[in-house]
Amino acid sequence: MATFLGASIVILIPILILAAIAGVAYFLYVRVRYRTAKSNEALIITGPRLGDPEKESNIFSDNEGRSMKIFRRVGYLLKRFQTATPVDLTSFQLKLATPRVYTNGGVPIVADAVAMVKVADSLNGIANYAEQFLGKKQSEIEEEIIEVLGSNLRAILSKMTVEEINNDREKFNHDVSGIAQKLLDLLGFKITALGLTDLRDADEE
């Protein structure tokens, strides 16, 4: 009996050691491969074996064969050859300044505005952002958005008189936001606030 117990222990010890090593290895694998999306982030997963777009609502795919899986506020264990890229969903501020613009009444003016912008919350919006801006510097992203907002700001200023702009700033801000948002939808961004901060005669500059 003692001999049997001794033989069993001798066999069991290596098994336990191997099980412990396997457990530690799996723990380290999970720790390295596990990604968590914070409350202000979206997690974009790219690579093979993302899942079935028809069964999983968080998978985006297009006609060009590109696909990605997008997570919000959850964790995900990366499979082999998959990568995860976090996207910050926090709003950021942009300052806009127009060059000389002639209003509908022929008055040369310059205007300043401030916009609050963020990556869109929708699946399509995040996917649009990922396809066009993932990997770009924040300064490059801001430059493109400022160009879109600035061109719409100038276009609407040129269609109104100074009196109309000053008398209904709320309508002016709404018009700029509404037109610009249609273009920003294609870029994957959302305007959370926009306001004209200063309007002055360009000849006094």
Side-chain angles (χ1 to χ4, degrees):
M1 184 69 176
T3 303
F4 177 75
L5 275 173
S8 298
I9 291 173
V10 170
I11 296 172
L12 189 59
I13 288 175
I15 294 175
L16 292 175
I17 291 174
L18 289 174
I21 292 173
V24 172
Y26 180 74
F27 171 78
L28 293 175
Y29 171 79
V30 170
R31 186 169 183 177
V32 170
R33 300 291 290 171
Y34 193 77
R35 299 290 186 274
T36 303
K38 300 177 183 177
S39 59
N40 64 332
E41 285 182 342
L43 201 60
I44 297 178
I45 312 297
T46 55
R49 296 186 298 145
L50 293 176
D52 188 348
E54 295 183 0
K55 296 179 180 179
E56 300 180 60
S57 60
N58 63 334
I59 297 178
F60 175 86
S61 59
D62 60 21
N63 295 329
E64 297 179 15
R66 294 174 293 188
S67 62
M68 64 190 74
K69 180 176 282 189
I70 299 170
F71 285 94
R72 293 283 309 275
R73 301 185 182 91
V74 295
Y76 180 78
L77 181 62
L78 294 176
K79 298 174 184 177
R80 193 178 181 188
F81 301 123
Q82 289 183 345
T83 58
T85 306
V87 174
D88 191 349
L89 302 179
T90 307
S91 296
F92 54 92
Q93 186 182 87
L94 297 174
K95 294 184 178 180
L96 311 174
T98 69
R100 178 189 294 254
V101 179
Y102 285 90
T103 67
N104 190 35
V107 178
I109 59 170
V110 290
D112 297 327
V114 173
M116 295 296 294
V117 179
K118 67 184 295 293
V119 176
D121 297 312
S122 67
L123 181 67
N124 284 347
I126 295 172
N128 286 344
Y129 165 85
E131 289 181 352
Q132 298 176 75
F133 295 106
L134 214 57
K136 287 190 176 182
K137 296 178 181 179
Q138 181 66 19
S139 58
E140 295 175 315
I141 296 172
E142 292 181 3
E143 186 176 336
E144 290 194 40
I145 298 174
I146 286 174
E147 179 58 36
V148 171
L149 294 176
S151 62
N152 284 279
L153 179 62
R154 295 191 298 273
I156 294 179
L157 284 171
S158 66
K159 295 177 182 178
M160 301 175 69
T161 65
V162 174
E163 292 74 17
E164 288 173 336
I165 298 168
N166 283 323
N167 290 339
D168 198 345
R169 290 283 182 96
E170 185 175 344
K171 180 180 182 302
F172 175 82
N173 296 336
H174 181 269
D175 289 346
V176 175
S177 297
I179 295 174
Q181 186 59 65
K182 293 178 182 178
L183 296 175
L184 289 185
D185 284 341
L186 302 176
L187 303 180
F189 282 93
K190 175 183 178 182
I191 301 171
T192 58
L194 186 146
L196 191 66
T197 58
D198 190 25
L199 186 69
R200 55 196 182 276
D201 193 327
D203 292 334
E204 297 177 0
E205 290 287 296

